[in-house]
């Protein structure tokens, strides 16, 4: 008779008290390695719990609504083969034997860096500070976060479509829609924004409807909230990167190991500029009455993935050289594209860079990744004639777009910030001063 296997929650990248929203196994089921056993939902992401072993479920310990952390017991299995028990240490009791640590949870949806790292401690926008008395309502942290962001008092949401009367996100959206329609009908004024009219496009020609990915829906929700709540302005400037590019090319031709892209120089220059302008590396306090200055230099990088945009964070960018930044950037963007980023890898940025330079374009207006207060957009560098006082000379010019929260940053500060950044990029030796 084989030993029993205890399935436990693995390292959740620092997340704690994560909600179990679905349990997909029951006693008697046979599970395969990689099969999803349950779904967890934190404020930042929904993750599935894949099994690392094959077996028959003897007992399921978890139930929907439980809060779990690393080490919480999920289920007990009879293994299907002996390999599962091969790692058993001698002297363990039956209960201790082979706590099969699950393979790392797979994020299946993420709110992107744009989401506040912790709903309970960091309110991203002024609306999120709207007083609510929703403490008793039955809802997951992410639903509570959504309610806070929309200024919805959960105790007033009467429709609860989830199991055991749990309020779902759709219920919150329905509630808001209902209020908006009531407002419109009664002619009441206020912040409610009327929904766009639904149009049957098939009247104009053939159409096909495809569902948005969860990632797109969630990041879209957050971006809409940011746009509705932040007074944003975008400042544009150009950096002369002729010398930088010449150094980069020479270095790449000589250094076989790590190729540097222009982006790592921009990260380095951004960190130097942030040290001079610390208000750009800050967030508004929850009550909107103070600024929280971050003494760390964590830079979010917007990465395009097949499912949508995610923002992994390069932590401690100030302590990294160009090569280490390059390696870290390519590791994080690869993990992002393979859907392997843990929620913790997308948290804690001070400021974000969104680079479209590899694709094209001369300027754009990136959306601030609230609760951050500024974001740097990078467009495609191109050769341009520059007047040097005597003649036009060809220079490689890099367009930069700085969007900022005007509640925190003034236009003059933004202009100075970009001037400083372009100086660093114009002569990277200044980074050593
Ligand atoms: N000007 C000119 N060329 C540029 C450039 C710029 N500003 N930025 C990058 N390039 C070039 C690179 O040098 C590279 O050229 P080579 O292949 O000849 O070396 C090529 O474009 C591709 O670069 P890259 O995009 O792969 O690498 P990166 O380090 O510049 O960027 C990353 C990495 C992860 C930011 C990028 O791959 C990416 O995902 N960008 C999209 C981000 C995005 O979607 N932002 C929008 C957010 S708002 O919706």
């Amino acid at each position: 008779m084989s030993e029993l296997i205890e399935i436990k929650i693995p390292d959740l990248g620092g997340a704690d008290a994560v909600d179990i929203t679905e349990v997909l196994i029951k006693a008697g089921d046979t599970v395969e390695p990689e099969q999803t056993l349950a779904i967890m939902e934190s404020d930042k992401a929904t993750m599935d719990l894949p099994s690392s072993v094959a077996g028959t479920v003897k007992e399921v310990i978890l139930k929907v609504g439980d809060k779990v952390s690393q080490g919480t017991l999920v289920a007990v299995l009879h293994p299907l083969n002996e390999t599962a028990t091969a790692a058993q240490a001698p002297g363990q009791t039956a209960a201790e034997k082979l706590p099969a640590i699950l393979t790392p949870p797979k994020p299946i949806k993420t709110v992107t860096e744009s989401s506040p790292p912790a709903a309970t401690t960091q309110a991203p926008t002024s609306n999120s500070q709207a007083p609510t008395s929703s403490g008793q309502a039955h809802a997951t942290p992410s639903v509570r976060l959504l309610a806070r962001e929309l200024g919805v008092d959960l105790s007033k949401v009467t429709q609860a479509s989830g199991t055991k009367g749990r309020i779902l996100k759709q219920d919150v959206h329905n509630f808001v829609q209902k209020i908006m329609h009531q407002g419109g009908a009664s002619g009441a004024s206020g912040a409610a924004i009327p929904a766009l009219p639904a149009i049957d496009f098939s009247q104009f020609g053939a159409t096909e409807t495809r569902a948005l990915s969860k990632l797109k829906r969630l990041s879209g929700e957050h971006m809409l909230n940011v746009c509705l709540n932040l007074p944003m302005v975008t400042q544009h400037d150009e950096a002369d990167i002729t010398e930088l590019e010449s150094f980069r090319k020479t270095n790449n031709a000589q250094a076989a190991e790590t190729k540097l892209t222009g982006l790592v120089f921009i990260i380095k220059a951004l960190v130097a500029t942030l040290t001079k302008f610390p208000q750009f590396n800050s967030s508004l306090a929850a009550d909107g009455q103070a600024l929280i200055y971050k003494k760390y230099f964590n830079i979010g990088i917007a990465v395009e993935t097949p499912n949508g945009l995610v923002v992994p964070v390069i932590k401690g960018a100030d302590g990294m050289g160009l090569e280490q930044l390059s390696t870290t950037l390519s590791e994080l963007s690869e993990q992002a594209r393979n859907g392997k980023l843990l929620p913790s890898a997308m948290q804690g940025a001070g400021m974000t860079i969104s680079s479209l330079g590899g694709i094209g374009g001369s300027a754009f207006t990136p959306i601030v990744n609230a609760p951050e207060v500024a974001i740097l957009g990078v467009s495609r560098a191109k050769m341009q004639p520059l007047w040097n006082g005597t003649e036009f000379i060809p220079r490689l010019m890099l367009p930069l777009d700085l969007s900022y929260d005007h509640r925190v940053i003034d236009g003059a500060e933004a202009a100075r910030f970009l001037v400083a950044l372009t100086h660093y990029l114009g002569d990277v030796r200044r980074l050593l001063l």
Side-chain angles (χ1 to χ4, degrees):
M1 177 74 183
S2 306
E3 301 291 351
L4 293 177
I5 298 180
E6 288 187 336
I7 304 280
K8 292 186 175 177
I9 300 282
D11 179 7
L12 297 176
D16 212 8
V18 171
D19 280 281
I20 294 293
T21 54
E22 280 180 63
V23 177
L24 304 171
I25 48 166
K26 58 182 185 324
D29 283 357
T30 304
V31 299
E32 303 291 332
E34 290 296 307
Q35 181 176 332
T36 302
L37 307 177
I39 310 276
M40 304 180 294
E41 187 173 282
S42 71
D43 285 346
K44 295 289 291 185
T46 295
M47 295 161 278
D48 62 12
L49 274 172
S51 176
S52 57
V53 295
T56 310
V57 180
K58 176 175 184 287
E59 189 185 355
V60 183
I61 313 292
L62 280 189
K63 56 186 187 316
V64 171
D66 282 356
K67 290 191 182 302
V68 299
S69 308
Q70 181 177 0
T72 306
L73 190 56
V74 176
V76 181
L77 305 189
H78 292 290
L80 280 190
N81 59 50
E82 294 308 315
T83 53
T85 57
Q88 180 182 347
Q92 285 177 305
T93 66
E96 289 169 328
K97 277 169 194 167
L98 296 172
I101 296 303
L102 299 169
T103 50
K106 295 176 180 171
I108 57 175
K109 72 176 183 187
T110 30
V111 186
T112 82
E113 168 59 13
S114 354
S115 300
T120 47
T121 53
Q122 289 205 342
T125 62
S126 55
N127 261 11
S128 60
Q129 290 132 25
T132 62
S133 57
S134 46
Q136 299 311 311
H138 193 32
T140 62
S142 63
V143 174
R144 288 178 189 282
L145 172 63
L146 175 68
R148 273 198 298 278
E149 286 178 345
L150 296 176
V152 169
D153 180 348
L154 276 181
S155 68
K156 298 207 162 48
V157 179
T158 46
Q159 179 188 350
S161 320
T163 47
K164 296 184 188 160
R166 179 185 296 270
I167 296 171
L168 303 181
K169 283 186 178 173
Q170 193 53 49
D171 298 329
V172 176
H173 287 301
N174 291 346
F175 177 81
V176 171
Q177 260 179 9
K178 204 170 113 196
I179 296 282
M180 285 187 341
H181 286 139
Q182 282 168 354
S186 65
S189 63
I193 295 167
L196 292 172
I199 292 175
D200 175 14
F201 297 102
S202 65
Q203 63 185 300
F204 307 117
T207 60
E208 180 191 344
T209 304
R210 292 188 199 166
L212 290 177
S213 70
K214 283 184 178 175
L215 181 55
K216 267 223 148 75
R217 275 189 279 128
L218 288 165
S219 59
E221 244 171 43
H222 183 69
M223 281 190 253
L224 179 61
N225 280 337
V226 173
C227 286
L228 291 175
N229 286 290
L230 264 63
M232 270 188 284
V233 180
T234 307
Q235 171 78 12
H236 306 280
D237 208 337
E238 287 176 326
D240 181 343
I241 56 163
T242 318
E243 314 301 340
L244 187 161
E245 188 60 6
S246 142
F247 168 70
R248 189 180 78 87
K249 283 201 167 132
T250 314
N251 181 77
N252 281 355
Q254 289 167 352
E257 292 268 312
T258 315
K259 303 269 183 232
L260 303 178
T261 67
L263 192 51
V264 294
F265 291 90
I266 298 172
I267 296 170
K268 206 74 199 152
L270 179 63
V271 168
T273 314
L274 286 173
T275 37
K276 285 195 164 173
F277 296 84
Q279 69 273 37
F280 286 78
N281 193 18
S282 76
S283 285
L284 269 174
D287 62 3
Q289 302 298 307
L291 263 192
I292 300 162
Y293 290 85
K294 298 160 193 171
K295 304 290 184 187
Y296 48 83
F297 294 89
N298 296 346
I299 307 295
I301 305 288
V303 176
E304 187 190 22
T305 78
N307 284 329
L309 193 66
V310 291
V311 187
V313 179
I314 300 183
K315 308 254 168 72
D318 53 321
M320 294 187 190
L322 291 168
E323 291 189 344
Q324 196 184 349
L325 279 174
S326 201
T327 314
T328 309
L329 176 63
S330 61
E331 281 169 6
L332 285 173
S333 45
E334 175 141 355
Q335 283 173 18
R337 290 190 176 117
N338 295 334
K340 292 263 157 64
L341 281 176
L342 286 174
S344 57
M346 293 179 277
Q347 293 171 357
M351 191 171 157
T352 290
I353 298 176
S354 175
S355 173
L356 293 174
I359 303 166
S362 50
F364 68 111
T365 52
I367 297 173
V368 172
N369 218 355
E372 295 157 39
V373 296
I375 183 168
L376 180 70
V378 181
S379 294
R380 190 163 187 80
K382 65 172 183 232
M383 292 302 286
Q384 287 182 36
L386 205 72
W387 184 249
N388 69 357
T390 318
E391 57 182 344
F392 282 105
I393 47 168
R395 305 296 289 176
L396 183 64
M397 304 303 290
L398 177 72
L400 299 169
D401 316 293
L402 177 75
S403 295
Y404 55 92
D405 182 343
H406 213 340
R407 295 172 303 173
V408 176
I409 289 158
D410 291 336
E413 290 173 315
R416 283 191 200 101
F417 183 91
L418 268 193
V419 167
L421 183 63
T422 58
H423 278 180
Y424 281 124
L425 291 170
D427 188 342
V428 285
R429 290 173 301 182
R430 293 193 179 106
L431 292 169
L432 301 171
L433 294 174

